[in-house]
Amino acid sequence: MTPTQSKQNQLHHHLRELGSIAVAFSSGVDSTFLLKTARDLLGDRVLAITVHSCLSPQRELDEAMQFTRDEGIEHIVLEVDELSIPGFAQNPADRCYLCKVELFTRIQRIAEERGIPHVAEGSNADDSNDYRPGLRAITELGILSPLRDAGLTKSEIRQLSSELGLPTWNKQSFACLASRIPYGEEITKERLAMIDAAEQYLLDAGFRQVRVRFHGNLARIETNEEGQQFLADKALREAIHCRFKEIGFVYVAIDLLGYRTGSMNETLTMPLGEKKCTKIKKSRHFA
């Protein structure tokens, strides 16, 4: 038995012990795997609850609804206005904590009304390595994190999802649109709509893993190596710039480090100039 299979068995044992469960379902890689596994083990004793708001693209809700229909899972869509949560729109460093407390309190209430004693969410073992104040809210509220407890990493969840034939096994990672705005800058529906439109344009153009970070009238594009190769095409760059100007940005920049999760957290953990850079010789292309 491989280490991944051992973790999967631990997950199965845990879910069977719970008996029934409500899953906070975003349609992402992790929550889809958790929901599918729970459904296979517990049958109709599983409820999916999806939060929908201006912080998440419509495509994520559409995919969540399609998956639960295909799997025959009872699904509740919870409409929420996070911008009305006291302090949230001001975008403090613990923004995610404020949000998770509100959302999971409401999810717990729905589960209790249905007679379901347990609520679970899809954090994995890798999530403990980044600044995630939302995990504090999850712990305080007693929300379960079965994937994290089993020690399953993102790559292992993708592997197991592929073995289950889940369409999300290679889906790009996604985080709420508020994570594109630097801490301390106000979160507004207009800014979120600009970010959503810009990212959707890039996805439609063929980019898979991409973020558009909001810096006032400048959009900073983070993308993976494949996306960086796309951007070598001058015509595509010009088309992106034109579309982004239509959306409302004046300048468009490409982040040299590319896509990485939690890049906005870098301002919290590393003062300017602290990181030591590797010296390189002058490139022959510029000699």
Side-chain angles (χ1 to χ4, degrees):
M1 179 182 298
T2 67
T4 300
Q5 290 171 332
S6 177
K7 294 176 185 179
Q8 185 182 32
N9 287 344
Q10 181 180 339
L11 172 66
H12 289 182
H13 178 72
H14 185 195
L15 292 176
R16 288 193 182 98
E17 283 190 324
L18 295 176
S20 63
I21 190 173
V23 176
F25 178 50
S26 68
S27 80
V29 177
D30 301 325
S31 65
T32 298
F33 173 71
L34 175 60
L35 181 61
K36 171 63 174 174
T37 302
R39 169 65 171 177
D40 288 347
L41 295 173
L42 304 177
D44 293 338
R45 292 169 292 166
V46 173
L47 173 67
I49 303 176
T50 299
V51 172
H52 182 241
S53 73
C54 60
L55 298 185
S56 57
Q58 181 64 36
R59 66 176 181 273
E60 296 295 308
L61 176 60
D62 293 341
E63 291 177 9
M65 295 177 70
Q66 184 64 54
F67 182 80
T68 52
R69 280 196 299 268
D70 291 345
E71 294 292 329
I73 299 171
E74 184 179 4
H75 186 209
I76 292 176
V77 177
L78 176 60
E79 297 287 346
V80 176
D81 178 15
E82 286 98 338
L83 297 183
S84 67
I85 299 172
F88 179 86
Q90 285 66 52
N91 201 8
D94 64 347
R95 172 200 67 228
C96 191
Y97 172 81
L98 300 176
C99 182
K100 295 295 187 186
V101 167
E102 175 68 20
L103 300 189
F104 278 100
T105 296
R106 295 182 62 174
I107 289 173
Q108 281 182 319
R109 192 175 302 129
I110 293 173
E112 289 171 2
E113 292 171 352
R114 297 300 187 95
I116 300 174
H118 308 289
V119 174
E121 57 86 45
S123 295
N124 63 62
D126 295 331
D127 292 328
S128 301
N129 300 324
D130 192 14
Y131 174 69
R132 293 180 181 267
L135 293 181
R136 178 162 60 93
I138 287 167
T139 300
E140 290 177 0
L141 291 172
I143 305 299
L144 304 178
S145 302
L147 304 180
R148 187 155 52 100
D149 291 344
L152 285 164
T153 64
K154 175 71 80 173
S155 62
E156 290 174 323
I157 292 167
R158 289 188 183 279
Q159 174 193 331
L160 294 171
S161 295
S162 178
E163 293 172 3
L164 288 174
L166 294 177
T168 51
W169 75 271
N170 65 344
K171 182 178 179 179
Q172 67 272 23
S173 297
F174 177 76
C176 89
L177 295 174
S179 66
R180 316 299 197 263
I181 301 175
Y183 293 114
E185 293 193 18
E186 185 180 7
I187 302 169
T188 67
K189 289 184 178 181
E190 293 73 21
R191 291 177 172 184
L192 295 171
M194 289 173 65
I195 296 165
D196 186 17
E199 290 192 353
Q200 189 61 59
Y201 180 79
L202 295 177
L203 292 171
D204 291 343
F207 289 79
R208 280 194 44 77
Q209 191 64 72
V210 69
R211 295 282 189 273
V212 175
R213 308 294 186 182
F214 183 95
H215 299 278
N217 59 10
L218 182 146
R220 174 169 58 89
I221 298 173
E222 292 180 12
T223 186
N224 59 7
E225 288 296 325
E226 180 185 36
Q228 298 270 7
Q229 293 298 317
F230 287 168
L231 290 168
D233 184 331
K234 181 180 179 181
L236 177 60
R237 294 198 307 272
E238 290 176 346
I240 292 171
H241 185 266
C242 181
R243 176 62 184 131
F244 277 36
K245 289 196 72 173
E246 290 177 344
I247 290 169
F249 293 106
V250 177
Y251 305 104
V252 183
I254 301 168
D255 192 301
L256 296 180
L257 292 183
Y259 166 77
R260 56 206 184 276
T261 59
S263 73
M264 291 304 195
N265 295 337
E266 293 167 7
T267 61
L268 301 175
T269 58
M270 183 172 293
L272 186 63
E274 179 176 318
K275 184 174 181 179
K276 301 299 182 181
C277 298
T278 302
K279 292 184 179 180
I280 59 173
K281 295 181 180 179
K282 183 183 292 186
S283 169
R284 62 182 176 83
H285 297 294
F286 302 102

